Amino acid sequence: MRVKTTRASRLVLLLASTALAPLSGMQSALAADVPPAAPAGPDSTGNDTLAEILVTAQKRSENLQNVPISLQALGAATLEQHQVQSFDDYAKQLPSVSFQSFGPGQSQLFFRGISSGGDGLPFGALPTSGFYLDEIPVTTIGSLLDVHIYDVARVEALSGPQGTLYGASSLSGTLRIITNKPDTSKFSAGYDVQGTRFDKGSLGGTIEGFVNIPLSDRAAVRIVGYDEHDGGYIDNTYHQRTYQSPHTLDDGTVVNSPITVDNSKFVKKNFNDVDTYGGRVALGIDLDDDWTVTPQVIAQHQRSNGSFLYDPKAGDLQVHDYAPERNIDKWYQAALTIEGKVWDWDVLYSGGYMQRSIDTHADYSYYTVAYDAYPNYGYFTNSMGKQIDPTQYYYGHQDLTKQSHELRFSSPAANRWRVTAGLFYQEQTNQFQANYYAPGYGSSQQGSPVYEDDIFLTNVHIVDRDYAVFSQASYDILPSVTLTGGVRGFIADNTLTGFSGFASDAAKAGCVTPFPSLNSCSYLKKSFNDSGETHKLNVTWQIDPDRMVYATYSTGYRPGGNNRRAAVEPYGSDTLDNYELGWKTTWFDQKLRFNGAVYYEEWNNLQYALVALNSGSVTNIYNAGDARVYGVETDITWAVTRSLTLSASGAFNDARLTTDFCAIGANSNPDCASGIIAAPKGTRLPVQPRIKFNTTARYEFLLGEVDSFVQGSLNHQTSTRSFLGTTADDLVGDSPGFTTVDVSMGGKIGNTTAEFYIQNLFDERGGLTRNTFSAPEISGQYARIYPTKPRLFGVKFGQKF
């Protein structure tokens, strides 16, 4: 009963959003006024010219072709045509984007190869890339928010540092999801239903719906709901392992006490299924002709089971896991946007508050396997003298909050002088608890202070604050030449309190009573403060109405922070200098669009995660040295005819160290004097392939009364380095390049659409990243692969009213 009740309750919002859809049958005139979604190719008038794309990347609504930054926008039509529902789906459409992932809601995003491979730790460095929902930053300390994509206007990917207008963590770029807003002009509604099946996995399905209701000529509400089940495709298969459990006798002799265990109670086929449900409610109110207020609430609940990385030693899409595995990611965001005018200046306030809760249960047994060679590490007996299974489990819990406030003023866009200026504040917190435990371990420690069955535990409270004032101004030197300059001053104030270490040390320090609040624990009290500025200078030449070139020098920054080990000093901010030449062009009477940029970037004092083997094998963050990136990124769309559209986008990034990175010394800090190099000068930066591109051909035709289409897409990327450190990468290995193909076909009659699609047509087992749950220096030989999804069949049906 509980499952049925829970699933029914999650559909309430969705049913509310679709219940009014049948009313449109009585409003045929109104329904007839609903325009179709703007296509990626020829425009909606039937001309064989490309549709204009409006973006707000520079905090103004502008034609993409007039924005002098490297920007790729995936509009609503493109998102639908590629069946985009999650981060993985749209990331493969963005060549300058790379990522690491452990599964849904557990990804880290990078632009242009600006990655050292150690991001994503809840207690670690902030991301190198910013992430926004509409006007509100939702960049979090740990993993990227995996927002379900439905009723979304577009996804904007801003490559390169965006420090002037976007600030902290927009070091390498910024990703923005722009939702559809309430519309007072007309009623509209729609729903989509689809079913899927992995060729080597199980069934899935999605139901989505929206409704836009004008409440008056000055107010409207937009409601969106969705419920998605993704089938699994990875099997946890039966396995036995024997721990040698070496230990020291009273006379100093080291002996083994082998113990054999198996994973029979966790064996399951297709065990990595995902359930995601949520919705959005936005209210748009025009207070008068100049002022609009838009409050919005978005909420999502996602539960993913099993492992999304497979073990090639176990077999194709198989693992041998010895613990329960799931990740439950719940969040909501309340946002308020107020837009208006003071005289002829635009004024905007945007504020948001987000709460996010993440519970992660994972197998940590390969850490036990790796340490089985060390005497006394994995030998436990209970009070009866019976040996205990030493297999370690992991449980992590994060309570995150984030609030932000921005007040922005913009002068009239038609002026020769144009200025955007404002104030910004954000605060994000994370109450993070991590338990590394072996069931029954507590009973084996008679007389020793421990907390329950924990061997190692972390319980810290992190607060990161960012204050900023910013301004960006443009001046038309000539009607065709514009000079733009910007600056952002910032103050970062980050703190970390709590405990991280062996459970016995926590008990001795009084850090487990009370637990997990740690109000009485003063083991860790760390702070990091920094201030500075980031800036931008741009020159744009509008050669003619269809062709523009620009040159940009821009900088970005990422605040430093605190390490969880008591003896390890805080790490400082890192910065990025970007030198870029770009172009935005259309040709042949708006039939062909060709945009691109070439760039050189210098990454200074970069933050790098290293394992201090002499400090409890704990990962710490250090400012290790410098790196650089040479790159090119382009995208092209060609309306060959009214029926045929070809598009392609690609990026080349050569990202390497320019200094040696030293290994950790006895003082738990990088020690260059030792002569031991963690990563030598010239080492490729991890995760980003040198080349990544995608191409799509779409042919639309009339088949009887059906507006039909066929589409094919090819996605390719070259090999990627897994880890920056030489030892870690040698153990884990690099990910080879791969190519995948997606196809789809379908049609539309009136307001009804249907399509059939196959993703990864040839079932290519591409490896997006390789990773280990514990530090790769410890268990790298047991690395797993995060694969492209296996071949997926899908059918989709939808209606708009």
Side-chain angles (χ1 to χ4, degrees):
M1 280 301 293
R2 182 179 178 184
V3 173
K4 293 181 179 179
T5 302
T6 301
R7 198 164 187 85
S9 64
R10 77 171 75 166
L11 290 173
V12 170
L13 183 60
L14 180 62
L15 294 175
S17 70
T18 56
L20 293 178
L23 295 177
S24 62
M26 297 181 289
Q27 303 178 39
S28 57
L30 188 61
D33 291 336
V34 178
D43 68 21
S44 57
T45 65
N47 298 322
D48 55 346
T49 57
L50 297 173
E52 182 180 86
I53 301 174
L54 295 179
V55 297
T56 54
Q58 294 196 121
K59 310 287 185 167
R60 298 174 182 268
S61 181
E62 302 171 281
N63 184 345
L64 172 70
Q65 295 305 103
N66 297 330
V67 181
I69 62 175
S70 184
L71 164 65
Q72 188 175 354
L74 306 178
T78 301
L79 295 171
E80 290 184 8
Q81 290 166 7
H82 291 275
Q83 300 88 40
V84 171
Q85 290 187 315
S86 67
F87 170 73
D88 284 20
D89 296 332
Y90 62 77
K92 74 178 182 181
Q93 304 298 325
L94 303 171
S96 290
V97 166
S98 59
F99 64 96
Q100 289 178 306
S101 185
F102 281 97
Q106 302 174 76
S107 300
Q108 295 84 50
L109 163 72
F110 314 105
F111 281 85
R112 293 182 173 176
I114 301 299
S115 164
S116 62
D119 295 333
L121 300 173
F123 44 79
L126 288 162
T128 64
S129 301
F131 186 46
Y132 278 66
L133 269 176
D134 294 316
E135 292 290 333
I136 311 298
V138 290
T139 317
T140 55
I141 296 172
S143 299
L144 183 78
L145 210 63
D146 197 350
V147 181
H148 180 86
I149 302 299
Y150 181 72
D151 194 46
V152 164
R154 64 190 176 277
V155 173
E156 295 181 2
L158 289 63
S159 296
Q162 306 295 323
T164 301
L165 293 178
Y166 292 94
S169 288
S170 290
L171 180 78
S172 68
T174 299
L175 189 71
R176 305 176 70 219
I177 295 177
I178 311 299
T179 61
N180 287 323
K181 304 301 185 292
D183 183 0
T184 61
S185 68
K186 58 182 177 294
F187 170 90
S188 60
Y191 69 89
D192 290 280
V193 179
Q194 63 180 304
T196 59
R197 182 184 179 89
F198 287 107
D199 186 28
K200 297 179 179 179
S202 56
L203 293 168
T206 306
I207 179 170
E208 305 160 311
F210 80 92
V211 61
N212 181 87
I213 308 171
L215 304 176
S216 70
D217 60 348
R218 289 190 176 273
V221 63
R222 193 175 192 95
I223 306 172
V224 179
Y226 52 87
D227 191 346
E228 175 185 6
H229 174 75
D230 294 326
Y233 51 84
I234 291 179
D235 302 334
N236 189 21
T237 55
Y238 180 78
H239 185 254
Q240 287 186 338
R241 67 163 58 115
T242 299
Y243 298 109
Q244 295 304 313
S245 303
H247 57 99
T248 306
L249 301 178
D250 293 340
D251 62 2
T253 304
V254 176
V255 299
N256 291 336
S257 293
I259 180 173
T260 299
V261 299
D262 66 55
N263 66 341
S264 57
K265 62 181 178 180
F266 302 113
V267 169
K268 189 175 182 180
K269 189 175 180 63
N270 304 324
F271 79 140
N272 65 320
D273 57 333
V274 187
D275 283 291
T276 306
Y277 60 90
R280 181 174 83 245
V281 179
L283 178 65
I285 305 172
D286 296 328
L287 301 178
D288 55 31
D289 292 340
D290 291 332
W291 289 88
T292 299
V293 177
T294 308
Q296 177 174 268
V297 176
I298 306 177
Q300 181 172 293
H301 183 289
Q302 183 178 77
R303 175 180 174 128
S304 55
N305 298 309
S307 173
F308 288 78
L309 286 75
Y310 77 95
D311 183 353
K313 296 178 181 178
D316 183 37
L317 299 180
Q318 295 183 37
V319 294
H320 299 319
D321 282 352
Y322 283 72
E325 293 181 291
R326 61 182 177 274
N327 190 75
I328 301 174
D329 188 354
K330 301 179 291 184
W331 59 269
Y332 78 85
Q333 183 212 45
L336 175 66
T337 303
I338 303 174
E339 301 173 83
K341 285 185 176 294
V342 174
W343 297 291
D344 56 352
W345 283 57
D346 294 326
V347 180
L348 183 142
Y349 165 79
S350 61
Y353 179 79
M354 181 178 72
Q355 281 195 344
R356 186 182 185 190
S357 172
I358 306 173
D359 279 288
T360 305
H361 294 261
D363 183 304
Y364 203 67
S365 63
Y366 280 117
Y367 188 91
T368 311
V369 173
Y371 270 78
D372 188 43
Y374 296 90
N376 306 313
Y377 181 83
Y379 178 73
F380 313 130
T381 60
N382 61 21
S383 58
M384 304 297 293
K386 181 179 179 182
Q387 191 171 349
I388 295 172
D389 179 356
T391 299
Q392 280 197 42
Y393 294 13
Y394 169 83
Y395 169 71
H397 176 76
Q398 300 180 65
D399 281 322
L400 300 108
T401 69
K402 187 180 183 80
Q403 64 168 309
S404 66
H405 306 273
E406 180 169 305
L407 180 62
R408 189 169 73 238
F409 302 88
S410 299
S411 64
N415 288 357
R416 189 174 184 181
W417 275 101
R418 298 175 297 281
V419 177
T420 296
L423 302 170
F424 176 81
Y425 168 74
Q426 72 173 1
E427 177 185 279
Q428 55 180 323
T429 69
N430 189 0
Q431 180 70 49
F432 173 60
Q433 174 186 341
N435 303 83
Y436 302 83
Y437 67 99
Y441 172 75
S443 66
S444 72
Q445 304 299 303
Q446 296 88 3
S448 299
V450 296
Y451 176 72
E452 296 186 349
D453 289 329
D454 283 354
I455 298 172
F456 193 96
L457 67 89
T458 294
N459 195 352
V460 294
H461 184 66
I462 302 167
V463 181
D464 289 351
R465 298 181 180 90
D466 180 34
Y467 309 81
V469 56
F470 62 91
S471 178
Q472 182 168 297
S474 298
Y475 177 65
D476 297 331
I477 302 172
L478 298 171
S480 60
V481 179
T482 301
L483 177 66
T484 299
V487 64
R488 186 184 189 100
F490 66 88
I491 298 174
D493 179 11
N494 302 336
T495 61
L496 180 150
T497 58
F499 177 85
S500 182
F502 288 101
S504 57
D505 294 330
K508 293 174 185 176
C511 293
V512 293
T513 306
F515 197 87
S517 68
L518 295 180
N519 292 328
S520 62
C521 177
S522 59
Y523 186 83
L524 291 174
K525 284 191 176 180
K526 292 189 167 190
S527 64
F528 171 83
N529 304 96
D530 193 17
S531 62
E533 58 81 28
T534 184
H535 48 271
K536 173 181 179 179
L537 184 65
N538 170 274
V539 178
T540 302
W541 177 26
Q542 192 73 46
I543 302 171
D544 59 37
D546 293 332
R547 282 163 282 277
M548 175 259 280
V549 294
Y550 68 87
T552 297
Y553 165 62
S554 58
T555 65
Y557 75 97
R558 173 173 54 163
N562 301 285
N563 282 297
R564 57 177 170 150
R565 295 296 290 176
V568 182
E569 295 297 317
Y571 51 94
S573 301
D574 53 2
T575 62
L576 190 73
D577 293 290
N578 174 60
Y579 306 87
E580 182 174 320
L581 296 173
W583 61 93
K584 300 286 182 73
T585 65
T586 54
W587 304 83
F588 312 126
D589 297 325
Q590 307 290 318
K591 293 182 177 63
L592 185 143
R593 181 187 298 125
F594 177 43
N595 300 337
V598 295
Y599 46 87
Y600 169 69
E601 296 186 332
E602 295 177 340
W603 191 5
N604 310 300
N605 209 30
L606 69 89
Q607 298 168 12
Y608 177 41
L610 280 172
V611 174
L613 295 175
N614 61 338
S615 187
S617 302
V618 172
T619 301
N620 298 309
I621 313 298
Y622 306 92
N623 296 104
D626 304 325
R628 58 85 181 148
V629 181
Y630 295 108
V632 182
E633 52 199 13
T634 65
D635 67 88
I636 184 170
T637 304
W638 181 22
V640 182
T641 67
R642 294 187 181 185
S643 299
L644 178 62
T645 303
L646 303 178
S647 59
S649 59
F652 167 82
N653 286 281
D654 184 54
R656 296 181 181 274
L657 298 182
T658 56
T659 60
D660 290 338
F661 282 12
C662 303
I664 299 297
N667 62 350
S668 296
N669 284 294
D671 179 15
C672 296
S674 68
I676 302 174
I677 303 300
K681 176 182 177 180
T683 300
R684 281 181 62 192
L685 299 187
V687 184
Q688 178 77 37
R690 280 197 183 94
I691 297 173
K692 179 183 177 183
F693 67 84
N694 59 72
T695 62
T696 297
R698 184 178 178 89
Y699 185 72
E700 299 178 348
F701 57 97
L702 189 64
L703 185 62
E705 298 181 355
V706 181
D707 292 322
S708 304
F709 76 89
V710 293
Q711 176 175 296
S713 298
L714 181 146
N715 301 278
H716 173 78
Q717 69 176 53
T718 57
S719 65
T720 58
R721 185 178 177 91
S722 297
F723 287 90
L724 185 57
T726 302
T727 300
D729 197 67
D730 287 346
L731 287 168
V732 173
D734 293 345
S735 295
F738 63 88
T739 302
T740 61
V741 174
D742 302 334
V743 296
S744 60
M745 63 181 67
K748 177 180 179 181
I749 300 179
N751 293 321
T752 301
T753 60
E755 68 175 303
F756 171 74
Y757 59 89
I758 306 174
Q759 296 180 351
N760 196 0
L761 176 65
F762 301 108
D763 200 29
E764 174 75 8
R765 196 70 69 242
L768 294 167
T769 57
R770 295 189 177 208
N771 221 324
T772 59
F773 193 80
S774 62
E777 292 86 349
I778 299 167
S779 55
Q781 64 268 40
Y782 310 112
R784 295 184 175 185
I785 299 172
Y786 185 72
T788 57
K789 295 177 182 178
R791 182 163 46 229
L792 176 70
F793 299 93
V795 60
K796 184 176 181 179
F797 175 85
Q799 288 186 305
K800 299 288 191 294
F801 305 98

